[in-house]
């Protein structure tokens, strides 16, 4: 039986330590990383940083939380009050596919407004997300709703197909705000 994914909030810069402990305890964990350039006193260095700083994803039994909470650096399991809330399986699968693709990605502000698109070609074929333009490149924004965090993956124009909005009855005022980058 496979348990659902949960987000563990961890102390700053403890993501790798917590992931190592989870692996050692035979839990399935996921720490999505991206390459970023950091300036040192005498040079620039490319290092791997967490796409979701302060969070590690883990499959766990929500009724057996104590072993997880005892890991050094784990603050709590993200949820509503003291009740852990599972992350949608498809959201984790999309993030895993984006990381595995090797395409440039980076943390991105959480976005709910924008055009939803489907990737029809390339290593992310079949994924859906929000399309934005940033510095002359198209980016697919992939979100983890529970954390209200997102990442952006650079995609080619030719890979993208808009998802038509389903018609629905209007029961109140229409929100006409949009995202502009």
């Amino acid at each position: 039986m496979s348990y659902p994914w949960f987000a563990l909030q961890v102390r700053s810069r403890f993501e790798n330590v917590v992931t190592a402990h989870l692996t050692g305890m035979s839990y399935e964990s996921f720490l999505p990383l991206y390459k970023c350039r950091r300036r040192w006193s005498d040079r620039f260095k490319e290092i791997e940083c967490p796409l979701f700083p302060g969070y590690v994803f883990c499959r766990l039994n929500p009724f057996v939380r104590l072993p997880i909470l005892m890991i050094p650096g784990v603050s709590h399991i993200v949820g509503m009050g003291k009740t852990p809330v599972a992350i949608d399986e498809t959201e984790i699968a999309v993030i895993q596919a984006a990381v595995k693709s090797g395409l440039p990605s980076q943390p991105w502000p959480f976005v709910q407004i924008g055009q939803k698109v489907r990737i029809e070609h390339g290593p992310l074929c079949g994924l859906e997300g929000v399309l934005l333009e940033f510095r002359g490149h198209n980016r697919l924004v992939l979100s983890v709703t529970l954390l209200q965090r997102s990442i952006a993956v650079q995609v080619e124009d030719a890979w993208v197909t808009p998802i038509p909005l389903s018609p629905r009855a209007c029961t109140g005022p229409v929100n006409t705000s949009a995202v502009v980058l």
Side-chain angles (χ1 to χ4, degrees), residues 137-151:
H137 297 284
N138 284 337
R139 306 215 187 244
L140 180 69
V141 177
L142 308 171
S143 300
V144 176
T145 307
L146 177 66
L147 300 181
Q148 299 231 327
R149 300 276 178 107
S150 301
I151 66 169

Side-chain angles (χ1 to χ4, degrees), residues 12-39:
S12 179
R13 298 190 182 131
F14 267 69
E15 296 90 356
N16 289 319
V17 172
V18 170
T19 301
H21 273 84
L22 289 168
T23 302
M25 297 168 68
S26 299
Y27 284 97
E28 184 179 353
S29 63
F30 174 51
L31 175 60
L33 301 170
Y34 74 105
K35 292 183 189 315
C36 62
R37 287 180 52 122
R38 292 290 164 104
R39 184 172 183 191

Side-chain angles (χ1 to χ4, degrees), residues 17-160:
V17 172
V18 170
T19 301
H21 273 84
L22 289 168
T23 302
M25 297 168 68
S26 299
Y27 284 97
E28 184 179 353
S29 63
F30 174 51
L31 175 60
L33 301 170
Y34 74 105
K35 292 183 189 315
C36 62
R37 287 180 52 122
R38 292 290 164 104
R39 184 172 183 191
W40 298 75
S41 60
D42 60 341
R43 67 189 184 286
F44 283 95
K45 187 173 182 180
E46 191 171 275
I47 61 172
E48 288 190 322
C49 298
L51 275 167
F52 298 94
Y55 296 94
V56 173
F57 302 103
C58 179
R59 284 190 186 270
L60 61 98
N61 180 346
F63 301 108
V64 184
R65 301 186 292 247
L66 190 59
I68 301 286
L69 296 171
M70 298 299 291
I71 295 173
V74 173
S75 298
H76 63 277
I77 301 170
V78 177
M80 302 292 278
K82 293 188 180 211
T83 306
V85 175
I87 295 175
D88 186 346
E89 191 80 29
T90 58
E91 289 182 347
I92 293 292
V94 165
I95 302 295
Q96 288 174 325
V99 170
K100 188 176 180 181
S101 75
L103 294 171
S105 59
Q106 65 193 54
W108 200 260
F110 183 74
V111 178
Q112 289 185 327
I113 301 167
Q115 183 160 14
K116 196 152 175 118
V117 297
R118 178 177 293 114
I119 304 297
E120 297 292 343
H121 306 283
L124 300 179
C125 186
L127 298 186
E128 295 179 3
V130 178
L131 183 69
L132 298 175
E133 184 183 349
F134 182 70
R135 296 187 182 162
H137 297 284
N138 284 337
R139 306 215 187 244
L140 180 69
V141 177
L142 308 171
S143 300
V144 176
T145 307
L146 177 66
L147 300 181
Q148 299 231 327
R149 300 276 178 107
S150 301
I151 66 169
V153 180
Q154 190 171 317
V155 295
E156 298 295 325
D157 295 341
W159 297 354
V160 179

